[in-house]
Amino acid sequence: ELAAQQTASATIPLLSTIIETGKSVLSEEIVPSSEAIIEAKARLGSSGFVAYIACTQATAFHAGMARDLGDLARKKGLMFRVYDSETDAYKQVTLFDKARAEGATAMIVCPLEINLLEDSLASAREANIPIVFQANDFFGYGAVLVGGDNYLLGLTPGRFAGELIRDEMGGKAQVIILDFSSREDIVARANGLEEGLKEFAPDATVI
């Protein structure tokens, strides 16, 4: 059995042979085949798992993302663990390294401060560990980026809130939009929220 595992490990290609640098595709174009799932299981190994280093679990969006990723992993027969950074960039570095120490053999990361993660990411890259960033403005480390248009991600719910304020509150309300000033993607999303809000409730006040 050990010999079989060693043989299987030896046939797993390096990341550089399966990741096409600089290529962008739509999600529906990269639905994994059964062969790709088999390869993913082989890469994880008998005791390895996918570690999801989440930005937070304190919002419905982020908690739902973790839930959906976990459901998908279980459906495909992949081990999956969530590590909650609680929007603390320094804690995120510790959790990344903790996941590695606990046997993570693939990483999904919602990065808070990429510069703080540099050494950990470089180490994972050196160990040939697949990395997926939930962002569209962080590059390098052989990682795959999964993201969308952050402005549009904010615009639609902003419009929904604006319509609600217009129809149920007479078009007037005081609104708080939470963002993360050091994250350009979050700022873009917040800008979309405000624009969508003002489209339907121009008299609403953002405080």
Side-chain angles (χ1 to χ4, degrees):
E1 181 179 356
L2 178 59
Q5 290 177 347
Q6 290 174 335
T7 300
S9 297
T11 63
I12 296 173
L14 294 173
L15 294 181
S16 58
T17 68
I18 60 175
I19 294 178
E20 297 183 55
T21 303
K23 182 176 181 179
S24 298
V25 296
L26 298 175
S27 58
E28 57 264 28
E29 298 177 41
I30 52 172
V31 176
S33 64
S34 56
E35 291 79 10
I37 296 300
I38 291 172
E39 181 180 318
K41 289 180 179 178
R43 183 179 292 279
L44 288 180
S46 59
S47 60
F49 61 92
V50 179
Y52 177 35
I53 314 299
C55 285
T56 181
Q57 291 292 275
T59 71
F61 172 81
H62 289 92
M65 178 67 71
R67 180 199 62 229
D68 291 346
L69 287 172
D71 288 347
L72 180 61
R74 283 186 288 274
K75 182 179 178 181
K76 300 299 184 181
L78 306 174
M79 298 296 294
F80 182 84
R81 297 185 194 176
V82 178
Y83 294 80
D84 183 5
S85 301
E86 299 180 322
T87 65
D88 184 330
Y90 290 95
K91 181 176 182 179
Q92 184 168 77
V93 176
T94 300
L95 290 177
F96 189 102
D97 294 338
K98 182 174 186 284
R100 287 283 314 278
E102 291 177 348
T105 45
M107 316 285 286
I108 301 173
V109 185
C110 173
L112 293 170
E113 295 284 353
I114 198 69
N115 59 309
L116 295 179
L117 284 167
E118 285 181 349
D119 290 343
S120 298
L121 290 168
S123 175
R125 172 62 173 163
E126 182 68 21
N128 200 38
I129 290 178
I131 301 170
V132 173
F133 286 146
Q134 285 186 324
N136 55 12
D137 55 355
F138 293 133
F139 301 93
Y141 309 101
V144 173
L145 278 65
V146 178
D149 187 314
N150 286 290
Y151 177 82
L152 292 179
L153 284 173
L155 186 65
T156 297
R159 285 171 171 168
F160 176 79
E163 289 179 312
L164 187 70
I165 292 169
R166 179 196 64 190
D167 297 341
E168 299 186 15
M169 304 177 68
K172 296 183 182 295
Q174 290 188 322
V175 181
I176 296 175
I177 297 176
L178 303 179
D179 65 11
F180 198 95
S181 59
S182 65
R183 286 282 303 271
E184 293 184 7
D185 54 336
I186 303 299
V187 171
R189 201 172 303 169
N191 290 340
L193 279 166
E194 183 168 359
E195 290 292 330
L197 171 75
K198 291 292 189 176
E199 185 177 330
F200 290 93
D203 293 331
T205 301
V206 177
I207 58 176

